[in-house]
Amino acid sequence: MEVLKQRILQEGVVISDQVLKLDGLLNHQIDPALTMEMGREFAARFRESGVTRVITVESSGIPVAFAAAHELGVPLVFARRKKTLLADPDAYCERVPSFTKGIVTDIMVSREYIHENDRILFIDDIIANGDAARGVIKIIERSGAELVGFGVVVEKCFQAGARTIREQGIPVEALVRIRSLNDGTVQFDDNQM
């Protein structure tokens, strides 16, 4: 997505050769028009997959996943990172490390919102090491539902996350692929996977 690349170049902040801050686009402030455009793009890429539900992880994945679910006309479910007093005690739960937060958290999805006959599209904002993604994939597998694909706004190709998911045979679609953040510069990878 060329418009997304341009916005990343204009507004992204390279923190290190491993971390790109996208608070102005994805992680703190949301551009509704751009977000809906990203949702339309994911819907177009996965429309023929028979998606019955979109899933993401709270919180940064929610806007783009919502846009994709809206375009596909299906519900959105998000894996919670914090247990609440109203949380389903029998929820699917996985413990996952967070690359950007530097902590380990539990992610959980109520059994009420994911079923064995579902065809699920997983949408997220950024994939680095893929720990949260693998946690969501385990939850989907345990539910008996079918994961039809994984859509990610930004794939950091220099980290193993997306590669390990592709190695599981899961279709991965990235709107933007970043090859490197070396020398404080975003370098895109235009090779399609």
Side-chain angles (χ1 to χ4, degrees):
M1 273 187 80
E2 201 55 42
V3 65
L4 181 57
K5 286 181 183 178
Q6 292 308 312
R7 294 288 298 276
I8 289 170
L9 291 174
Q10 292 168 1
E11 299 174 45
V13 178
V14 178
I15 302 296
S16 72
D17 63 352
Q18 299 291 305
V19 179
L20 175 63
K21 184 176 177 183
L22 294 173
D23 282 6
L25 299 173
L26 292 173
N27 306 119
H28 198 61
Q29 173 177 271
I30 305 301
D31 177 330
L34 178 62
T35 300
M36 293 307 291
E37 189 172 337
M38 291 186 285
R40 282 189 292 278
E41 182 63 28
F42 282 129
R45 293 183 189 195
F46 289 102
R47 191 171 307 282
E48 303 305 316
S49 300
V51 175
T52 61
R53 212 170 286 273
V54 172
I55 194 167
T56 193
V57 180
E58 84 174 343
S59 64
S60 296
I62 292 174
V64 175
F66 171 85
H70 175 74
E71 288 296 318
L72 291 166
V74 300
L76 165 64
V77 176
F78 61 89
R80 292 183 178 269
R81 287 193 183 268
K82 294 183 177 105
K83 202 170 224 169
T84 67
L85 293 175
L86 302 174
D88 178 355
D90 192 34
Y92 297 108
C93 188
E94 284 293 323
R95 183 154 283 230
V96 297
S98 169
F99 175 76
T100 51
K101 293 179 181 81
I103 59 171
V104 175
T105 61
D106 290 329
I107 58 172
M108 58 203 82
V109 176
S110 172
R111 292 174 187 265
E112 185 177 348
Y113 302 118
I114 184 171
H115 310 104
E116 64 182 21
N117 60 343
D118 277 321
R119 294 177 54 80
I120 296 179
L121 172 59
F122 176 20
I123 300 286
D124 210 358
D125 60 338
I126 299 173
I127 188 161
N129 293 328
D131 295 314
R134 283 189 293 279
V136 171
I137 291 166
K138 286 179 186 175
I139 287 172
I140 294 167
E141 289 170 348
R142 287 193 2 242
S143 76
E146 180 181 353
L147 177 59
V148 299
F150 175 50
V152 63
V153 175
V154 176
E155 174 186 347
K156 290 162 57 178
C157 302
F158 54 89
Q159 291 173 295
R163 184 179 67 249
T164 62
I165 292 170
R166 286 186 181 98
E167 288 169 355
Q168 295 178 48
I170 298 167
V172 177
E173 290 283 339
L175 298 183
V176 170
R177 299 179 75 236
I178 295 177
R179 182 179 64 240
S180 169
L181 297 173
N182 292 341
D183 301 321
T185 303
V186 176
Q187 296 174 13
F188 294 107
D189 182 343
D190 293 326
N191 297 323
Q192 294 299 317
M193 296 300 294

